C-alpha cells in the first residue's frame, strides 16, 4: 500500500474554510519560521478518507482475530468501558483542577474513582496501599525498585543487588539496573525457582528478589513459601511482576503470600486496550512497611467522605509521572472490575487456565512441551523437533500470519530453545481455539512433508520476510517533508 505522500497530486486540495487574516510571521519570531513550505501531501478529502480507512483495515488487533501472544494477555476488551471513559464528566476534566485550592471539591467524582480503584486493587492483591501513577508495567517495576531502594536507605542498609530468575521478563533486570542495582541471575530448576540456588546468592547486600507468579513458563512457583522465608531472613524485599496476574485472580492474593511490592498491568488483566490499541497503566501496590515511600500525590478521604490530593509524605520517592497516571485507563479498569465482581474475576482465571491447558493437550503430540504438566494461563512449547527439517519457531509464527492469526511469542523465555509461548486467554470460544489447533496442526504437518512451504511464509501479506534487525536499528518511519 502506498504512503499518503506517494499518492500526493500537486495542486489537489480538500475544501478549505476561509483563511485566517493573520500570517505565521504575525505571531512567530521570524528566526523560527521555515525557509520554505513543508512538503505535505496534496490530496482531496476523499483521498484522505479512503487512504486511512484502507490503512485501518490492515491493522491487526483482538477485535479482528485471535491474538495468542504469550505473556501479554491480549484478551478482548469489552466496549462498555469505552463509554464510561468517554463520559463528559470525566473526559472534559482539566488535570490541574484538583491541585487548585479546594480543588478536590471541583472533581470529587474523579478522585473517588481513583481512591476506590486503589481500594479494589488492594482487595484483589492483598496489598496495603496502591499508587496509580506508573504509566506502564516496566514503569511500575522501576517505581517499585525505587521504593525498595528508599526503604533500605531509610533503614541504613547498604544493599546493592537484586536477584532475578533466568526465566524473568527482560524488563525486571532492566528496571533493577536503571534503579542502580547490580542484577544477579539464578538458574531455574525444573522450570521454577530453585530455593537452594536463591539461598546461595542471598547475602546482606541483596535488596530484593523480583519474580513472576506464575512464571513465564506458565508454571506456578510452588516453592514460594520457602522463597518468602529466605527473603525475610536476609531483609530482602520480594517483588511481584503482575504480568501474569490473569492466572490467579480470585485464587491467590500476592500480599497474603508475602510479597512486599507488586505492579499490575491494568492493560492486561483488567480489560483495557494495549499494544496498538491504547496506553498502558502499571499501578504499584505495597505492603504496610513500604507505604511511606509511595509516590506523590496520593488521594485521601477524610472523615466527612471528602476527597483531596495529599503531598505531605516526607519519605516519598516523589513524582514518577505527570499528574496521576493514565486516568482513562484506570476508569476502564474500574468499570471492568465492578462489572465482573469477585465471582467474575475468579472465573476469568479459571477459564484462562482451562483454555491454556486445552491447547497444550491438543498440541503436545506435535509440539514438544519441555515442562509438560498442568500449566496456568499460558504454556511454552518448543520447535526443536521441527528444527531437524529446517523449520524454526520463527517460520511457524510467520505461517500463522498467513492463516490470519497474530503470532505467538517466540524465543522467550530464553531458557527454552525454539520457544513458542501461547496464551489463549479466557475470552476466546472453544470454536476459536479448535480452529487455531486445526491450522497449527496443518502447519506442523507441512513442516514434516514440505518444509519449504513453511519457511517461505508469509505469502499472503503485503510484505514477506522483513530484515527485523535492520528495521530495529535503522528505522525509516517518515517521508522527507522538505
Amino acid at each position: 500500500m502506498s504512503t499518503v505522500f506517494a499518492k500526493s497530486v500537486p495542486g489537489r486540495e480538500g475544501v478549505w474554510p476561509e483563511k485566517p487574516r493573520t500570517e505565521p510571521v504575525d505571531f512567530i519570531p521570524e528566526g523560527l519560521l521555515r525557509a520554505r513550505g513543508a512538503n505535505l501531501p496534496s490530496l482531496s478529502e476523499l483521498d484522505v478518507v479512503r487512504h486511512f480507512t484502507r490503512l485501518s483495515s490492515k491493522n491487526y488487533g483482538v477485535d479482528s482475530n485471535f491474538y495468542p501472544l504469550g505473556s501479554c494477555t491480549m484478551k478482548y476488551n469489552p466496549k462498555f468501558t469505552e463509554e464510561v471513559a468517554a463520559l463528559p464528566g470525566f473526559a472534559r476534566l482539566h488535570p490541574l483542577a484538583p491541585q487548585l485550592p479546594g480543588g478536590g471539591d471541583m472533581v470529587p467524582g474523579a478522585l473517588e474513582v481513583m481512591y476506590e480503584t486503589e481500594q479494589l486493587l488492594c482487595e484483589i492483591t492483598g496489598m496495603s496501599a496502591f499508587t496509580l501513577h506508573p504509566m506502564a508495567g516496566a514503569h511500575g517495576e522501576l517505581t517499585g525498585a525505587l521504593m525498595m531502594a528508599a526503604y533500605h536507605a531509610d533503614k541504613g542498609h547498604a544493599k546493592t543487588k537484586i536477584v532475578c530468575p533466568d526465566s524473568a521478563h527482560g524488563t525486571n533486570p532492566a528496571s533493577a539496573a536503571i534503579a542502580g542495582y547490580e542484577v544477579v541471575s539464578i538458574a531455574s530448576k525444573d522450570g521454577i525457582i530453585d530455593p537452594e540456588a536463591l539461598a546461595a546468592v542471598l547475602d546482606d547486600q541483596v535488596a530484593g528478589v523480583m519474580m513472576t507468579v506464575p512464571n513465564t513458563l506458565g508454571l506456578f512457583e510452588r516453592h514460594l513459601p520457602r522463597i518468602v522465608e529466605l527473603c525475610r531472613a536476609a531483609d530482602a524485599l520480594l517483588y511481584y511482576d503482575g504480568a501474569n496476574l490473569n492466572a490467579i485472580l480470585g485464587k491467590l492474593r500476592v500480599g497474603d503470600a508475602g510479597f512486599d511490592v507488586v505492579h499490575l498491568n491494568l492493560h492486561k488483566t483488567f480489560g483495557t486496550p494495549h499494544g496498538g490499541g491504547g496506553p498502558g497503566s502499571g499501578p504499584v501496590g505495597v505492603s504496610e512497611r513500604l507505604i511511606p515511600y509511595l509516590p506523590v500525590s496520593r488521594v485521601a478521604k477524610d472523615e466527612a467522605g471528602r476527597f483531596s490530593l495529599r503531598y505531605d509524605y516526607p519519605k516519598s520517592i516523589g513524582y514518577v509521572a505527570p499528574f496521576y497516571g493514565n486516568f482513562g485507563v484506570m476508569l476502564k479498569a474500574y468499570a471492568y472490575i465492578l462489572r465482573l465482581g469477585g465471582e467474575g474475576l475468579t472465573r476469568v482465571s479459571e477459564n484462562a487456565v482451562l483454555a491454556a491447558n486445552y491447547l497444550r493437550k491438543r498440541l503436545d503430540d506435535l509440539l514438544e512441551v519441555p515442562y509438560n504438566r498442568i500449566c496456568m494461563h499460558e504454556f511454552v512449547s518448543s520447535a526443536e523437533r521441527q528444527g531437524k527439517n529446517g523449520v524454526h519457531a520463527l517460520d511457524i509464527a510467520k505461517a500463522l500470519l498467513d492463516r490470519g492469526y497474530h503470532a505467538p511469542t517466540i524465543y522467550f523465555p530464553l531458557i527454552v530453545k525454539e520457544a513458542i509461548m501461547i496464551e489463549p486467554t479466557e475470552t476466546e470460544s472453544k470454536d476459536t481455539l479448535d480452529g487455531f489447533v486445526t491450522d497449527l496442526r496443518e502447519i506442523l504437518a507441512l513442516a514434516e512433508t514440505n518444509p519449504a512451504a513453511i519457511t517461505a511464509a508469509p505469502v499472503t501479506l503485503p510484505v514477506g520476510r522483513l530484515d527485523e534487525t535492520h528495521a530495529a536499528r535503522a528505522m525509516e518511519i517518515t517521508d522527507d517533508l522538505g
Side-chain angles (χ1 to χ4, degrees), residues 374-385:
I374 296 294
C375 64
M376 299 297 286
H377 66 310
E378 62 191 4
F379 69 100
V380 177
S381 57
S382 168
E384 271 200 289
R385 185 186 307 173

Side-chain angles (χ1 to χ4, degrees), residues 145-291:
L146 292 174
M147 282 193 283
M148 292 163 70
Y151 166 83
H152 287 301
D154 196 27
K155 295 191 70 174
H157 294 161
K159 306 258 188 181
T160 59
K161 297 183 286 189
I162 281 183
V163 178
C164 299
D166 57 3
S167 62
H169 290 110
T171 50
N172 289 179
S175 299
I178 292 173
Y181 286 106
E182 174 190 350
V183 177
V184 178
S185 180
I186 57 172
S188 300
K189 182 179 181 181
D190 193 28
I192 58 178
I193 291 179
D194 175 10
E196 299 309 314
L198 177 60
V201 300
L202 265 180
D203 57 28
D204 59 4
Q205 292 188 334
V206 173
V209 176
M210 300 181 79
M211 59 186 294
T212 307
V213 183
N215 66 15
T216 59
L217 291 166
L219 303 177
F220 191 82
E221 293 282 358
R222 62 174 181 267
H223 299 305
L224 184 55
R226 175 60 177 154
I227 293 169
V228 172
E229 181 182 327
L230 289 169
C231 288
R232 292 287 185 269
D235 202 5
L237 298 167
L238 190 57
Y239 185 97
Y240 178 78
D241 179 332
N244 291 347
L245 186 71
N246 212 53
I248 59 172
L249 284 171
K251 301 293 183 181
L252 171 68
R253 301 203 319 167
V254 293
D256 296 343
F259 284 91
D260 299 288
V261 192
V262 51
H263 91 260
L264 306 181
N265 300 82
L266 299 186
H267 50 284
K268 293 182 179 180
T269 311
F270 297 107
T272 67
H274 73 304
S281 180
V284 173
V286 295
S287 58
E288 190 73 26
R289 55 179 170 165
L290 290 178
I291 289 177

